[in-house]
Amino acid sequence: MIKKTKINDIEMEYEVIHRNVKYARLEIKTDSIRLIMPLNYNKDEEIMKNNEKWIYKKLSRIKASQKEAENKELNLLRTDKEFRTMVLLSVEELSKELNVKINKIYFKRMKTRWGSCSSKKNININIYLMHLPSYLIEYVVYHELAHLVEMGHNKKFWNIISNKYPNYKNMEDELLIYWLLVRKLIDNHA
């Protein structure tokens, strides 16, 4: 169900989805706001009101990233083979640094993330990452390998990340900017 709300004089739509979940959660993507709520739980307006500052901050970050994306370009020259070799070499080097062992690496087209790590020690890498600068590819690989030390995005995890990348917040911002460019590329080829 699509609903409307107003935050700081900005009208916006959000989607309310009821699922068999224990707790309500907000998801803000580059093009949508979704509120996932337990079945028979109808306090969406209260949740939106209680999270206004967070929503506004996230949306402001997306808007700023859209503006920054105008000054960036994707690398459309790197081949699939070059990309896979780069990732495999990074995994080899960085897994030693973190003292972790992986099971398998998969390359996939992913619509919502640059990579993921499973409890079975499998690493998934978004093939669209091939269009980003090398240092961001290495960062994503390190990020996913760090999940083999700490699965969640908690303080311990971000401490691991900040040991190698003290400027990781800037890296995360850049990933958002490039995500917007990749989404445009995907939409143009759909």
Side-chain angles (χ1 to χ4, degrees), residues 135-179:
Y135 68 93
L136 286 175
I137 295 170
E138 181 184 288
Y139 172 77
V140 170
V141 169
Y142 189 85
H143 180 113
E144 297 312 328
L145 290 172
H147 281 303
L148 296 174
V149 178
E150 182 62 42
M151 282 304 280
H153 284 117
N154 55 29
K155 187 174 182 169
K156 183 179 177 186
F157 173 82
W158 291 113
N159 284 339
I160 294 166
I161 296 295
S162 67
N163 283 334
K164 183 165 181 75
Y165 297 98
N167 64 337
Y168 76 88
K169 289 181 182 178
N170 294 341
M171 305 288 258
E172 294 288 329
D173 287 343
E174 275 196 81
L175 286 172
L176 174 57
I177 292 164
Y178 279 103
W179 183 255

Side-chain angles (χ1 to χ4, degrees), residues 52-144:
E52 274 185 358
K53 285 181 184 176
W54 180 80
I55 294 167
Y56 185 76
K57 184 177 172 185
K58 283 281 202 186
L59 293 176
S60 296
R61 181 174 174 238
I62 290 168
K63 195 170 194 162
S65 296
Q66 288 168 330
K67 192 163 182 66
E68 289 230 18
E70 295 169 9
N71 302 318
K72 302 264 185 192
E73 289 185 17
L74 295 172
N75 178 344
L76 301 175
L77 301 176
R78 185 179 289 127
T79 66
D80 187 60
K81 185 177 179 182
E82 290 170 331
F83 171 64
R84 288 172 188 258
T85 300
M86 181 187 297
V87 169
L88 294 174
L89 289 172
S90 290
V91 166
E92 188 178 326
E93 178 187 321
L94 297 171
S95 61
K96 287 177 189 170
E97 194 175 310
L98 285 164
N99 196 26
V100 295
K101 292 203 184 298
I102 67 159
N103 183 28
K104 289 185 181 176
I105 301 170
Y106 296 99
F107 294 88
K108 300 178 175 183
R109 282 183 169 81
M110 300 166 84
K111 293 182 178 181
T112 59
R113 56 188 65 184
W114 291 117
S116 65
C117 177
S118 75
S119 58
K120 294 179 181 177
K121 300 187 177 194
N122 295 327
I123 303 289
N124 296 301
I125 299 293
N126 188 333
I127 61 166
Y128 294 115
L129 193 59
M130 73 186 294
H131 301 301
L132 275 60
S134 310
Y135 68 93
L136 286 175
I137 295 170
E138 181 184 288
Y139 172 77
V140 170
V141 169
Y142 189 85
H143 180 113
E144 297 312 328

